[in-house]
């Protein structure tokens, strides 16, 4: 059990900067997910935590210890890899036992024949066997101990990898996209099992994924990472509903959030896509903004006019309970995606003109540089550049 | 229906052709060996007879083989070959696997340059180095010893290259997992990577043992003492000194020398083929 403190970590590969001063504090027993598109540096950060890569600057503290320069085995962390990384020439039992053998038996005792002759070896080996059997049983792979990894299915291999990680009671569990190689159904099942594992063990988990569903369902907090920077660290619901940055808003949510460019007409009114929306703003008239509106923030309106957007239906996607309507708005090249309840389906046809209203409190405002503009942060509002300057 | 019939006929025709070609090539390769064995059981008079036959009219095998085993110290040569080949193989694997691991999985300045040097070593024929090695061996004072036969081969560029290529195919995660599990770098090589690269190790062993068992060039330079000679050199000396034009015992000795390799390969064949294909496909 330990907390983790990551302080201004930097990492470069040649001229490419992979991590640009990442700082993050993870509480003891927390489930934190590093979420980001591939190539954003999240796996590199995890490897730095594990000691498999060395950072160019910054430091990592696990528990009370600064672990920079400590070898991976001295850090008391265990890791589960995307590729499982099992040893194919060893049985499941040997795979799970290896970390224990390396820790509990000295080099001499590990010798194939001689080791057995030394007093005490047999007893320790017996304890290890017991530990392995107990771990395997708790993961439901007790009957597979004599098999080799090549004879197991993907889900079983993943369990062995988890078993190998948990058998030595690490202070921190690191997981690098552990579910990516599994099929969709198994992924959902294993997701639940990882959640249970975390609740059962109560140790700190750091989980890397590019799958937002995994991040949202598993985590206490999600750290969204894009281009080597941590953009936001917050509980899943806040990441979704209250993003700090345009890139976070765009990365989270499926279908993607609608981004519409607008200009403040006067206090409380924003011109966007040929319409005017009533949104409480303190920005100066003429300020250029981007409006982020989640597909489900829209509702059907009976008629056009102030406070609603009007467009023609390009396409309708049926998703069972929901309906995604793609609307072409005048003056906007990409369609607006509106999520409606499926019972509306019979009434909507492609080519039809549709009016949609939007709840003002569900509109997220971003500055043109991507920063989120919050109403209570007065300084943000005053610093918004007027539209004319941006256009120039 | 007629389609399948014609396909069948065509495929059986192709099979006949295929087997004919294979049999012919096989026969061409086997012929010298068969001829060697045939000569080894013929009396001297029959060897130079104008008429051709594989089977001798007078079986002279016992005499030839007895002569081969008694007049030359053939068992001694074979033991020498065994000692030299096994020591070379063990040392080669001991040196090559860690080198290959460093070149395949570790990042350090100059790694690519070192690998280029390995490739250069791979390109150099061993004969080119014979003279410098001889001088070197002389200065070390190890000429005419087992060490002289072994030391030039301890570092095998081919072995390093082969192992490095194989280690490259093993996912980095496996190495990372082993480090987290507490294995030292050398333990990673010997307990994880080498067992995983067993097909490469077996293939390399076969190349190495066959190559050094049959090597004549370097032993000819490095040793003079008959009691140190590996089989081919011994045979050559035996031919010059003892046998003269007595080809029967010479062929008998040659047969005896090839025999261990043939037996070893035939027994290992099934396992060898399995090893070469077993790890090839991701299960």
């Amino acid at each position: 059990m330990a907390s983790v403190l990551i302080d201004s970590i930097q990492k470069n590969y040649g001229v490419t900067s992979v991590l640009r001063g990442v700082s993050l504090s993870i509480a003891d027993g927390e489930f934190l997910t590093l979420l980001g598109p591939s190539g954003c540096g999240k796996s590199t950060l995890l490897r730095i935590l594990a000691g498999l890569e060395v950072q160019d600057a910054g430091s990592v503290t696990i528990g009370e210890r600064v672990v920079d320069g400590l070898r991976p085995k001295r850090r008391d962390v265990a890791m589960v890899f995307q590729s499982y990384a099992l040893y194919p020439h060893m049985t499941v039992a040997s795979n799970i036992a290896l970390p224990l053998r390396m820790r509990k038996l000295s080099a001499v005792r590990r010798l194939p024949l001689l080791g057995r002759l030394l007093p005490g070896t047999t007893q320790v080996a017996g304890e290890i066997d017991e530990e392995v059997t107990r771990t395997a049983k708790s993961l439901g792979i007790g009957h597979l101990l004599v098999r080799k990894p090549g004879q197991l299915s993907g889900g079983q291999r993943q369990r062995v990898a988890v078993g190998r990680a948990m058998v030595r009671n690490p202070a921190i569990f690191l997981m690098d996209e552990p579910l990516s190689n599994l099929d969709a159904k198994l992924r959902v099942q294993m997701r639940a099992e990882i959640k249970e594992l975390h609740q059962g063990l109560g140790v700190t988990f750091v989980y890397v994924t590019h799958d937002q569903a995994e991040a949202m369902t598993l985590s206490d907090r999600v750290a969204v990472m894009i281009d080597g920077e941590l953009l936001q660290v917050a509980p899943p619901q806040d990441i979704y509903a209250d993003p700090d940055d345009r890139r976070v808003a765009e990365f989270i949510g499926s279908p993607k959030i609608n981004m519409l460019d607008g200009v403040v007409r006067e206090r409380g009114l924003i011109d966007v896509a040929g319409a005017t929306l009533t949104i409480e703003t303190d920005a100066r008239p003429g300020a250029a903004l981007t409006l982020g509106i989640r597909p489900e923030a829209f509702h059907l309106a009976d008629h056009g006019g102030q406070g609603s957007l009007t467009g023609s239906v390009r396409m309708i996607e049926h998703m069972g309970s929901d309906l995604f309507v793609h609307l072409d708005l005048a003056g906007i090249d990409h369609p607006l995606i509106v999520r409606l309840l499926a019972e509306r389906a019979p009434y909507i046809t492609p080519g039809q003109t549709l009016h949609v209203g939007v709840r003002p409190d569900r509109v997220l405002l971003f500055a043109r540089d991507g920063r989120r503009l919050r109403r209570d942060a007065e300084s943000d509002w005053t610093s918004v550049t007027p539209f004319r300057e941006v256009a120039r | 229906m007629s389609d399948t019939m014609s396909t069948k006929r065509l495929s059986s025709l192709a099979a006949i052709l295929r087997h004919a070609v294979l049999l012919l090539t096989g026969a061409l390769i086997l012929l010298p060996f068969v001829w060697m064995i045939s000569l080894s059981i013929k009396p001297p008079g029959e060897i130079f007879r104008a008429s051709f036959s594989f089977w001798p009219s007078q079986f002279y095998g016992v005499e030839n083989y007895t002569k081969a085993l008694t007049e030359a110290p053939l068992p001694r040569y074979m033991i020498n070959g065994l000692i030299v080949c096994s020591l070379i193989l063990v040392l080669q694997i001991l040196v090559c696997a860690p080198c290959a691991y460093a070149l395949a999985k570790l990042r350090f300045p100059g790694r690519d340059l070192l690998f280029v040097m390995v490739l250069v070593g791979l390109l150099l024929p061993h004969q080119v180095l014979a003279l410098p090695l001889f001088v070197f061996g002389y200065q070390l004072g190890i000429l005419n010893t087992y060490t002289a036969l072994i030391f030039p081969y301890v570092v095998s560029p081919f072995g390093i290259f082969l192992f490095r290529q194989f280690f490259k195919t093993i996912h980095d995660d496996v190495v990372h997992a082993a480090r987290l599990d507490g294995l030292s770098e050398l333990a990673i090589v010997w307990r994880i990577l080498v067992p995983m690269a067993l097909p490469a190790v077996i293939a390399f062993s076969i190349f190495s043992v066959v190559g050094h068992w049959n090597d004549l060039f370097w032993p000819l330079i490095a040793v003079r003492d008959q009691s140190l000679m590996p089989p081919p050199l011994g045979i050559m000396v035996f031919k010059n000194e003892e046998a003269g034009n007595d080809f029967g015992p010479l062929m008998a000795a040659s047969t005896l020398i090839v025999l261990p390799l043939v037996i070893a390969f035939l027994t290992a064949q099934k396992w060898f083929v399995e090893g070469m294909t077993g790890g090839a496909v991701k299960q």
Side-chain angles (χ1 to χ4, degrees):
Chain A
M1 294 260 243
S3 58
V4 181
L5 189 66
I6 297 167
D7 187 22
S8 348
I9 294 283
Q10 290 181 25
K11 178 77 184 173
N12 306 308
Y13 288 119
V15 288
T16 339
S17 180
V18 183
L19 297 173
R20 312 159 186 228
V22 173
S23 296
L24 177 63
S25 147
I26 304 167
D28 186 6
E30 184 175 10
F31 196 120
L32 182 119
T33 301
L34 290 167
L35 175 66
S38 46
C40 72
K42 55 194 192 303
S43 287
T44 308
L45 184 61
L46 198 73
R47 273 157 222 273
I48 288 174
L49 265 181
L52 298 168
E53 302 254 6
V54 181
Q55 67 270 32
D56 295 329
S59 84
V60 178
T61 311
I62 295 177
E64 304 290 302
R65 279 191 309 167
V66 177
V67 295
D68 306 327
L70 277 190
R71 297 176 68 77
K73 62 176 170 184
R74 303 246 168 270
R75 295 193 177 197
D76 203 11
V77 298
M79 191 154 166
V80 177
F81 296 87
Q82 181 183 353
S83 62
Y84 318 130
L86 299 175
Y87 312 124
H89 56 291
M90 297 183 187
T91 61
V92 168
S94 313
N95 263 284
I96 298 177
L98 189 65
L100 284 184
R101 286 176 58 83
M102 297 310 293
R103 276 169 178 75
K104 294 194 171 177
L105 291 173
S106 64
V108 182
R109 287 186 194 276
R110 287 199 303 269
L111 288 176
L113 286 170
L114 268 178
R116 290 262 159 198
L117 300 176
L118 292 174
T121 306
T122 328
Q123 195 200 333
V124 180
E127 286 169 21
I128 291 175
D129 286 348
E130 267 173 40
E131 192 75 21
V132 168
T133 313
R134 192 160 56 235
T135 305
K137 273 192 184 145
S138 76
L139 289 165
I141 48 171
H143 57 296
L144 302 173
L145 283 173
V146 291
R147 301 236 195 129
K148 295 214 170 146
Q151 300 163 296
L152 304 180
S153 70
Q156 290 168 333
R157 283 185 217 186
Q158 190 54 268
R159 272 174 220 193
V160 177
V162 170
R164 188 177 61 182
M166 70 188 257
V167 75
R168 59 188 159 98
N169 296 318
I172 298 169
F173 252 82
L174 306 175
M175 298 198 159
D176 189 3
E177 312 221 7
L179 306 183
S180 301
N181 283 355
L182 301 177
D183 62 60
K185 196 179 158 199
L186 201 54
R187 205 177 304 162
V188 174
Q189 187 192 337
M190 286 300 286
R191 202 163 76 191
E193 288 185 20
I194 287 177
K195 184 93 184 161
E196 278 173 28
L197 186 71
H198 174 246
Q199 282 160 354
L201 297 174
V203 300
T204 314
F205 271 54
V206 184
Y207 187 100
V208 161
T209 184
H210 64 268
D211 182 325
Q212 42 173 305
E214 282 173 29
M216 299 305 242
T217 49
L218 285 170
S219 324
D220 295 326
R221 282 191 307 157
V222 178
V224 182
M225 208 169 164
I226 290 172
D227 293 335
E229 282 176 90
L230 270 188
L231 296 180
Q232 188 171 6
V233 186
Q237 61 274 22
D238 290 0
I239 292 276
Y240 183 79
D242 193 16
D244 281 344
D245 191 287
R246 179 184 173 148
R247 289 172 287 172
V248 175
E250 285 182 308
F251 187 71
I252 307 283
S254 176
K256 217 167 130 178
I257 191 168
N258 297 291
M259 286 294 177
L260 301 170
D261 290 341
V263 178
V264 179
R265 172 181 285 192
E266 57 188 74
R267 294 226 157 180
L269 287 180
I270 298 177
D271 285 336
V272 56
T276 305
L277 298 182
T278 316
I279 298 164
E280 278 306 314
T281 69
D282 302 326
R284 282 179 289 170
L289 304 170
T290 301
L291 286 75
I293 310 171
R294 297 266 178 215
E296 69 273 16
F298 292 103
H299 55 84
L300 279 185
D302 296 335
H303 49 79
Q306 190 159 332
S308 69
L309 299 169
T310 303
S312 70
V313 177
R314 181 197 281 193
M315 186 171 78
I316 303 160
E317 289 177 298
H318 295 272
M319 303 300 291
S321 64
D322 292 314
L323 196 63
F324 297 146
V325 181
H326 295 234
L327 276 187
D328 282 327
L329 300 189
I332 294 194
D333 49 0
H334 54 90
L336 186 78
I337 298 172
V338 176
R339 181 177 191 161
L340 298 171
L341 286 177
E343 57 218 39
R344 299 280 185 184
Y347 311 111
I348 300 172
T349 50
Q352 180 188 344
T353 303
L354 210 61
H355 308 291
V356 289
V358 57
R359 280 172 52 190
D361 60 325
R362 298 290 301 273
V363 177
L364 310 168
L365 295 179
F366 298 95
R368 282 288 160 90
D369 65 1
R371 275 179 309 123
R372 171 80 185 281
L373 302 173
R374 291 179 208 276
R375 283 210 57 215
D376 48 353
E378 202 62 35
S379 59
D380 279 351
W381 288 99
T382 49
S383 67
V384 172
T385 32
F387 182 55
R388 283 179 299 279
E389 283 178 35
V390 172
R392 182 162 54 89
Chain B
M1 190 68 189
S2 68
D3 262 10
T4 53
M5 285 292 279
S6 65
T7 322
K8 217 177 216 171
R9 208 174 298 141
L10 192 72
S11 71
S12 63
L13 195 72
I16 290 170
L17 202 70
R18 203 158 56 223
H19 281 84
V21 171
L22 285 172
L23 281 172
L24 194 71
T25 348
L28 276 175
I29 292 168
L30 272 178
L31 191 68
F33 287 93
V34 174
W35 193 234
M36 176 179 77
I37 294 167
S38 160
L39 289 182
S40 76
I41 52 174
K42 282 180 179 176
E46 256 183 84
I47 290 176
F48 293 103
R49 190 177 288 171
S51 66
F52 177 87
S53 79
F54 278 119
W55 195 251
S57 48
Q58 183 200 350
F59 186 79
Y60 207 65
V62 180
E63 290 84 348
N64 281 343
Y65 280 87
T66 319
K67 207 170 174 189
L69 282 168
T70 51
E71 294 208 355
L74 198 60
R76 179 77 243 166
Y77 298 154
M78 307 249 285
I79 290 169
N80 290 341
L82 193 69
I83 293 172
V84 170
C85 285
S86 46
L87 275 174
I88 287 178
L89 180 62
V90 169
L91 290 171
Q92 276 178 336
I93 293 175
L94 277 176
V95 172
C96 292
C99 289
Y101 170 69
L103 289 173
K105 294 289 177 201
L106 302 181
R107 267 178 289 166
F108 55 91
R111 182 184 70 170
D112 293 343
L113 181 72
L114 285 174
F115 184 58
V116 168
M117 285 163 71
V118 170
L119 292 180
V120 170
L122 203 59
L123 294 174
L124 283 181
H126 206 267
Q127 286 77 354
V128 171
L129 299 173
L131 195 60
L133 281 171
F134 178 76
V135 174
F136 187 51
Y138 171 74
Q139 280 168 351
L140 289 177
I142 54 168
L143 288 181
N144 210 19
T145 61
Y146 281 133
T147 319
L149 291 173
I150 293 165
F151 90 91
Y153 298 108
V154 167
V155 181
S156 160
F158 175 64
I160 295 175
F161 178 74
L162 190 75
F163 288 177
R164 183 239 183 210
Q165 296 309 93
F166 206 97
F167 290 169
K168 273 257 170 201
T169 65
I170 295 174
H171 205 293
D172 279 354
D173 283 354
V174 174
V175 176
H176 289 160
R179 277 189 199 140
L180 281 162
D181 282 346
L183 274 74
S184 68
E185 297 298 302
L186 279 176
I188 292 174
V189 175
W190 299 117
R191 299 197 51 181
I192 308 293
L193 291 187
V194 169
M196 281 177 80
L198 202 61
V201 175
I202 293 171
F204 176 71
S205 305
I206 287 177
F207 279 115
S208 169
V209 168
V210 170
H212 296 118
W213 182 269
N214 290 334
D215 190 20
L216 174 68
F217 184 78
W218 176 249
L220 186 62
I221 296 170
V223 294
R224 291 181 158 197
D225 204 334
Q226 269 212 357
S227 64
L228 294 173
M229 286 178 176
L233 181 59
I235 288 290
M236 207 184 80
V237 174
F238 173 57
K239 174 183 168 260
N240 292 345
E241 292 177 358
E242 319 282 339
N245 285 336
D246 203 356
F247 281 100
L250 188 63
M251 289 301 121
S254 302
T255 308
L256 287 174
I257 281 166
V258 176
L259 206 59
L261 290 183
V262 174
I263 291 172
F265 188 82
L266 286 182
T267 46
Q269 189 186 30
K270 182 167 168 275
W271 197 54
F272 171 61
V273 173
E274 265 175 16
M276 290 302 269
T277 54
V281 184
K282 195 183 169 193
Q283 288 147 346

